[in-house]
Amino acid sequence: MADEPMMPLDESIAGEQVAEVNLPATANPNSPYAWPKERRILSTRVNRIDGPVKVSGRAKYSYDMKRPGMLYGRILRSPHPHARITALDLGPALKMPGVKAAVPIAKVGGKLMYVGDEVAAVAAVTEDQARDAARAIKVEYEILPFLANVEQALQPEAPPVFEGGNVKASQTEEEGSITAGFAAAAHIVEQTYNTQVQTHVSLETHGCMCEWEGEKLTAWVSTQAVHGTREGFATSLGIPQANVRVITEHMGGGFGSKFGPDVQGIACARLAKEAKAPVQLMLDRREEHLAAGNRPSAYAKIKAGVSADGMLTAFEAESWGTGGAGASSGFPLPYIYTFPNRRRVHKDVYINAGQQRAMRAPGHPQGCFITEMLMDELADRVKMDPIEFRIRNLPPQAPNAMWREYFKIGASKFGWDKRHATGDPTPGPIKRGMGCAANRWGGGGRGTQAQCEILPDGGVVVRCGTQDLGVGTRTLIAVIAAETLGLQVKDIKVELGDSNYPFSGGSGGSTTAPAVSPAIRVTVSKVLQELATRVAPAIGVAAADITASGGRVHSKTTPGKGLSWADACKRLQTTPVSVNAGWEPGLSASGSSGVQFAEVSVDIETGIAKVDRILCVQDCGLIVNQLTAESQCIGGMVMGVGYALYEDRILDRNTAMQVNPNMEWYLVPGMSDIPKIDIMLMNQPERGVIGIGEPPTISTAAAIANAVANAIGVRVRSIPLTPQKVLTALEGERAGGTQ
Ligand code: MOS
């Protein structure tokens, strides 16, 4: 993978949500719908069109939905990490005040695999009544042996908790000759690195409101995939897809964890059916941490070789990680850099904890952290500057592999020349340091359909069944339609987030912008052609000679001949123009690259690390909206700061219960933790649209961890970089240990 930069995102780690992406790396300039060379609105800074409703609190999320006569749903969850249900009686719950329905989720005889695994659900008039009723459900459990962490699961005498074994080895990845590679090495580094389990912490939790009208279900769902969720409801409930409508007007983040109705969505629909009333079932923060997904941990024991002149020669890794109860933990390794000889064996370790799910660039932050830490250690051995060392060992430059260039321009902008050598720290207790790391991602998409109507009063409505996760998709659609019709962003009415609108895939793998943008460009171009046909006689030129710009519909060859937009639309009289069309190749591509730099201050008396500033150099093909693309970078890096320094799902080793299933002790960055952030977005208009949702989060933690090592002169090979780990590493050095 790493040595074939023109290849798209590797599909093995793309997970459940990412459609197979096999797209070229550049757009087609000869497409009849090619992006305009002169961009009027595209690539500029356009405020989110839903900004005002969001900041004023008027935007309605699934959590905010209210329906007449609605009930509240609540799930009873396993208090045990591993247990068999021997008896389940919903009767006592049904007798509780206000309760209107109760449904089992687990079966008697069935097993529960983690604390938080679903047992049954109830619906009641108030939230408190639903909570009380869930507690009243009578369950008998046979408690079974469990595994609370990776170390326990890897013990030879570990109880056989998972059918087929607690550990599942994957195939060996191998290229070249390890023996020859190590023979060519002048220095060898052998180290173990690891990353923690991180949960998604979407601001809006998972859940929905379900309402039946006879056999038809309407569900307001916090989801990344309205059409996928429609299919999920239909399949799980055994009803036609045509009977399901999923609406997601606004949603508060998913990061890969919200692609279907989920257990709670199906339970909610069943409760609503049984109660004959709308039911809202949203998870609380504890449930969110326990059962709604996480980024798996990663461990790697690595032996790597480098030649005296700083060329990578060999890489041998044994890696493992846990995705919880029976789920995988794969990640790419080595990441990006070219090791001509390599061998890697990976194993998934199962423990009794909530399962992993795709999380913003699944696998990449782990692979990036491990590889980039190793790269700095190898650079130190050959006494080379880390950037010079990286540049030597990167794959060849290509449109989707621009790291060499980005490292150079980023280093200059960041002031990398002021970085002191590791082991030569600044005087005083506050040590400062710099680090860097690279990232890659696919970000191609396809298949979106759309509808555009031009109304006789001049109104333009664009409908698309995609969803706006908060990233700015609504605005992106308006920008493209306005650019194409020669209008302003405010002239476009965008309707999305409804499965009754034309199909669009799930928002995963950074595929939304590259799937939706071409669909809008094609559909709106076609509706303009239709308008041209209808008004050509009035303008007095051939339809093929008509275009729209500057709020006018006019002749291309004799621009003076034309009508204002409003007058042209009036000629439609009573019949609007309406076109359905969709994604076509040539306007989007796959494959992005980026690099990041971090500067940190570490107090060696307290062990507290603080990120002072980060610079990201990132591309995403043609930038549709500079403002929201930068916003993706900011969000990704803030998430990376959390991954580097704070976030950690901590399970009690004796009970397998999470000790921090909240936002008090599961730490995410607060305002004062967020560094100065600089962004250099590299516009590549000739490549077409590429997604940027995921890449900016990949290399932040690696750059920070390398900066901490540079600051304090010892390397902490495990994130989060807690004060305790920092102090222990410093202590080890004082005791005469090596880095
Ligand atoms: Mo993402 S993890 O593809 O939503």
Side-chain angles (χ1 to χ4, degrees), residues 551-569:
R552 288 178 72 245
V553 180
H554 59 86
S555 160
K556 288 178 200 165
T557 49
T558 326
K561 275 192 168 186
L563 295 166
S564 72
W565 177 265
D567 286 341
C569 294

Side-chain angles (χ1 to χ4, degrees), residues 416-474:
W416 185 260
D417 56 343
K418 294 186 190 66
R419 177 185 184 268
H420 60 73
T422 299
D424 178 24
T426 43
I430 309 290
K431 307 294 187 191
R432 300 187 78 179
M434 295 185 191
C436 66
N439 66 65
R440 67 170 167 85
W441 193 250
R446 63 169 74 213
T448 289
Q449 296 159 29
Q451 180 190 54
C452 183
E453 268 189 307
I454 297 174
L455 305 171
D457 66 358
V460 179
V461 187
V462 184
R463 296 190 183 89
C464 179
T466 187
Q467 47 284 316
D468 190 337
L469 310 188
V471 300
T473 305
R474 227 183 224 99

